[in-house]
Amino acid sequence: MTPVHILAASENPLLPAWYDIVWSAICLLIVFLVVWKYVLPAFNKTLDERAQRIQGGIEKAEKVQAEADEALAEYQKQLADGRAEAARLRAEAQEEGAQIIANMKTQAHAESERIVAQAQTQIEAERQSAMVQLRSEVGTLATDLASRIVGESLTDDQRSANVVDRFITDLESQSSAQPVKGA
């Protein structure tokens, strides 16, 4: 006997019977065909859908990232424009402030000149008034003095006016001939 017959005849517990091998192969083939025909396409379809969702999510994320980058660039541009506008407005305000200060100085200078001119005019008017009043008082005093010296009454207006004028003229000529002390 050959060693294979001896093994087959002795019924080795590790080797199944030939009909078990055939039926197991048929069952394996049926399960393989069912998995190949129904389970594997459904599994592949699920994997493809998941891959498409992932790819769509990546594309959507890239699109959102691009939009965010554009928005950031726009924001930075607006911020730079705002800063430039603020700097321009600040410079304009400084220029306007300087111009207002210059105008106020000019107005103050003009006002002070006007006040000084008005004061000089008023001083001149008061001096003229004082001169007229002084002439009147000096004239009265001179007339009284002349009446006492001459011994006659100088009530005549024309005569008294001539005496007063001659007296004031003499006083003015004496005061202009002598230098004023302290000046």
Side-chain angles (χ1 to χ4, degrees), residues 1-43:
M1 279 210 265
T2 66
V4 176
H5 283 106
I6 293 173
L7 280 175
S10 67
E11 295 226 4
N12 185 356
L14 293 177
L15 284 177
W18 67 270
Y19 57 88
D20 284 337
I21 293 174
V22 172
W23 283 110
S24 294
I26 291 173
C27 288
L28 183 64
L29 183 63
I30 290 172
V31 169
F32 178 75
L33 289 176
V34 168
V35 168
W36 182 266
K37 182 77 172 165
Y38 298 106
V39 175
L40 193 58
F43 189 69

Side-chain angles (χ1 to χ4, degrees), residues 133-154:
Q133 188 178 8
L134 184 62
R135 279 184 188 255
S136 168
E137 288 178 15
V138 167
T140 304
L141 288 174
T143 305
D144 288 344
L145 182 62
S147 294
R148 287 185 190 161
I149 292 174
V150 173
E152 64 183 71
S153 174
L154 298 174

Side-chain angles (χ1 to χ4, degrees), residues 68-87:
D69 290 342
E70 289 176 16
L72 178 62
E74 180 66 26
Y75 171 75
Q76 288 174 343
K77 180 181 178 261
Q78 288 176 352
L79 185 61
D81 291 345
R83 286 181 180 156
E85 181 70 15

